[in-house]
Amino acid sequence: MIYDCFKEANKEPFFVLFPMTFKAPNSKEFFNVWAEYYKNLNIEIPEGQLGCNPGGISTSKKIKILGTL
């Protein structure tokens, strides 16, 4: 939602999207929590699809974090 809000306000993509992974580092196995999550949604894990997450957005040089809770 944050990605889409910035994209709409900017009239073009504001943040860079990267291929997502749901696998443990140095492993070909998905984290159990993600496997269960997508299984419950009855959809395939979107491994390798472009996306973003709050942690990645927070490292963008385009924004300044003013504080935390």
Side-chain angles (χ1 to χ4, degrees):
M1 184 168 85
I2 299 294
Y3 174 87
D4 289 334
C5 289
F6 274 89
K7 181 180 176 183
E8 180 66 25
N10 199 44
K11 304 298 183 215
E12 62 183 48
F14 188 76
F15 298 109
V16 176
L17 298 178
F18 295 97
M20 297 183 293
T21 186
F22 300 86
K23 295 179 179 179
N26 302 315
S27 172
K28 294 182 180 185
E29 301 295 321
F30 291 109
F31 282 109
N32 286 335
V33 67
W34 288 119
E36 286 296 316
Y37 176 77
Y38 285 105
K39 179 180 177 183
N40 289 335
L41 291 176
N42 201 31
I43 60 175
E44 288 191 35
I45 298 172
E47 181 70 19
Q49 292 184 21
L50 294 179
C52 62
N53 63 59
I57 288 174
S58 73
T59 63
S60 173
K61 295 188 186 301
K62 294 181 176 182
I63 63 170
K64 180 179 180 182
I65 296 177
L66 301 176
T68 61
L69 298 174

